Amino acid sequence: MIRAFNESRHLPRLLEGIRHQTVQDVEVILVDSGSTDSTVAIAQSYGAKICHIPSREFTFGHSLNLGISESTREFIVIASAHVYPVYPDWLERLLEPFSDPQVGLTYGKQRGPQTAKFSEKQIFYQWYPEKSNWQQNTPFCNNANAAIRRFLWEKHPYDETLTGLEDVAWAKWAVSQGYRVAYVSEAEIIHIHQETPKGVYNRYRREAMAFKRIFPEAHFSLYDFFRLSIENIFYDTWHALRQKTPLGDITSILWFRLMQFWGTYRGYRHPGVVTPQLRETFYYPRGIQNVGDEQRQDVDPISYSAENSQKTALKN
């Protein structure tokens, strides 16, 4: 299941990646929230089933619930429209932990493209390690690259009122019911997540608002803002210099980390009322995104160049 809004630039690569998977019998559902480009036409050209949701009604949870309600399969794979699988066994590996009936949710590795900001890459490495863990003891996960059991969703749909982290909230519920979360490093995708400083601020602000609701005992003070900003800027810069990173990437570290933690701080202090204007700011930031490549392990990666060129006429 794919959620999309004006993703004509990135969607073809994800859909071609799905075609190259070792798991072939898949049902592709795209939930479009008012795209004005060729997103829907591209998805239809790949045989995807299209669900529509007005942009004014969009939340991450609502979009997920609509798409899953149209599905017919036992397992639901969820992917953002601006990701693409690196290897042809992505789906196979992501679904593998479900051989254990106590696994209720799986999620896979994420890496940034070469054009991603240095700090964003550091976050991916921190959150998605190289080693798999099928018995994770926290509800952390991410619906940019995840899978769930449909019958569990029928018992407990996604929270449609959260401004983000609906995946973590659902995982928290699943864990409370005795199910486990499995992290699968081999199920790797590239996440194209380039943002302006305002985009980074908005993302972490809405996620902090959601985190505060999911874990009301959590706190994030002004001291935390200063401490975490300084520590992460220092360590990111140290690693960037060791890797002889270009100066432009190093300068982005400062604004990225400041916006990350300032957005988190402001999100914790928001009263909790999401106005239509705030919804528009959170869910529909306009920014430039680029595609890059990264490689890994013992399986040859998917080659995308030829397939992408075949879809150029459909874009925009």
Side-chain angles (χ1 to χ4, degrees), residues 259-297:
M259 290 299 99
Q260 175 190 3
F261 294 115
W262 184 243
T264 301
Y265 174 75
R266 296 298 298 170
Y268 268 81
R269 267 137 194 82
H270 192 272
V273 178
V274 182
T275 64
Q277 294 78 14
L278 191 59
R279 182 195 304 271
E280 183 73 14
T281 299
F282 281 165
Y283 297 132
Y284 296 100
R286 304 303 195 269
I288 298 173
Q289 296 180 324
N290 300 302
V291 175
D293 294 295
E294 188 169 297
Q295 295 192 359
R296 185 202 87 191
Q297 57 168 59

Side-chain angles (χ1 to χ4, degrees), residues 3 23 70 73 90 133 138 178 194 199 217 257:
R3 298 174 292 191
V23 176
E70 296 294 325
R73 305 302 174 87
W90 164 57
N133 181 3
T138 72
Q194 296 277 58
E217 71 280 6
R257 290 299 191 177

Side-chain angles (χ1 to χ4, degrees), residues 156-188:
H156 187 81
Y158 284 97
D159 188 333
E160 300 188 0
T161 67
L162 289 170
T163 54
L165 303 187
E166 77 294 335
D167 40 15
V168 174
W170 194 91
K172 182 183 178 185
W173 170 83
V175 170
S176 74
Q177 302 301 302
Y179 290 91
R180 292 200 303 272
V181 175
Y183 168 64
V184 188
S185 175
E186 295 81 5
E188 181 177 350

Side-chain angles (χ1 to χ4, degrees), residues 9-304:
R9 186 174 184 181
H10 305 116
L11 185 61
R13 179 167 283 204
L14 169 59
L15 295 173
E16 283 297 334
I18 293 172
R19 280 188 173 179
H20 282 83
Q21 293 302 300
T22 54
V23 176
Q24 285 290 299
D25 183 21
V26 297
E27 177 183 56
V28 180
I29 298 173
L30 182 130
V31 180
D32 182 76
S33 53
S35 293
T36 57
D37 62 1
S38 55
T39 293
V40 172
I42 291 170
Q44 289 173 330
S45 74
Y46 281 89
K49 182 176 182 178
I50 311 298
C51 300
H52 296 278
I53 180 173
S55 59
R56 66 182 180 276
E57 297 179 7
F58 177 86
T59 68
F60 294 110
H62 184 31
S63 180
L64 283 169
N65 288 336
L66 175 62
I68 297 173
S69 70
E70 296 294 325
S71 67
T72 62
R73 305 302 174 87
E74 178 183 3
F75 303 112
I76 308 297
V77 173
I78 302 166
S80 295
H82 46 271
V83 309
Y84 63 90
V86 179
Y87 301 100
D89 61 350
W90 164 57
L91 289 176
E92 181 181 348
R93 293 302 188 100
L94 192 61
L95 296 173
E96 188 177 3
F98 289 123
S99 60
D100 182 343
Q102 289 307 117
V103 171
L105 179 153
T106 72
Y107 70 104
K109 183 198 297 182
Q110 298 185 36
R111 291 291 181 261
Q114 293 178 351
T115 53
K117 297 293 185 291
F118 186 87
S119 294
E120 185 84 58
K121 293 178 182 178
Q122 294 296 102
I123 291 172
F124 283 141
Y125 282 110
Q126 177 184 354
W127 290 357
Y128 309 104
E130 294 297 324
K131 185 177 180 181
S132 295
N133 181 3
W134 287 20
Q135 299 189 39
Q136 183 176 293
N137 58 6
T138 72
F140 176 81
C141 61
N142 191 284
N143 270 345
N145 178 24
I148 64 171
R149 294 184 186 271
R150 193 183 194 280
F151 86 89
L152 289 179
W153 170 83
E154 292 172 349
K155 294 182 178 180
H156 187 81
Y158 284 97
D159 188 333
E160 300 188 0
T161 67
L162 289 170
T163 54
L165 303 187
E166 77 294 335
D167 40 15
V168 174
W170 194 91
K172 182 183 178 185
W173 170 83
V175 170
S176 74
Q177 302 301 302
Y179 290 91
R180 292 200 303 272
V181 175
Y183 168 64
V184 188
S185 175
E186 295 81 5
E188 181 177 350
I189 56 95
I190 300 299
H191 194 158
I192 307 161
H193 213 192
Q194 296 277 58
E195 295 168 310
T196 63
K198 182 178 180 181
V200 173
Y201 168 82
N202 284 332
R203 173 157 60 100
Y204 283 97
R205 182 185 175 199
R206 64 172 172 76
E207 289 187 352
M209 290 170 58
F211 195 91
K212 182 178 65 173
R213 279 189 51 194
I214 300 167
F215 303 99
E217 71 280 6
H219 300 281
F220 195 94
S221 66
L222 194 59
Y223 169 75
D224 292 322
F225 161 70
F226 283 112
R227 177 178 61 85
L228 291 172
S229 295
I230 293 170
E231 287 180 0
N232 281 275
I233 289 170
F234 172 80
Y235 284 110
D236 283 0
T237 303
W238 183 72
H239 285 292
L241 292 173
R242 287 190 64 197
Q243 297 173 28
K244 299 181 179 179
T245 301
L247 181 62
D249 286 347
I250 295 177
T251 57
S252 74
I253 292 171
L254 178 64
W255 68 254
F256 186 99
R257 290 299 191 177
L258 287 174
M259 290 299 99
Q260 175 190 3
F261 294 115
W262 184 243
T264 301
Y265 174 75
R266 296 298 298 170
Y268 268 81
R269 267 137 194 82
H270 192 272
V273 178
V274 182
T275 64
Q277 294 78 14
L278 191 59
R279 182 195 304 271
E280 183 73 14
T281 299
F282 281 165
Y283 297 132
Y284 296 100
R286 304 303 195 269
I288 298 173
Q289 296 180 324
N290 300 302
V291 175
D293 294 295
E294 188 169 297
Q295 295 192 359
R296 185 202 87 191
Q297 57 168 59
D298 54 345
V299 178
D300 290 335
I302 300 170
S303 175
Y304 283 98

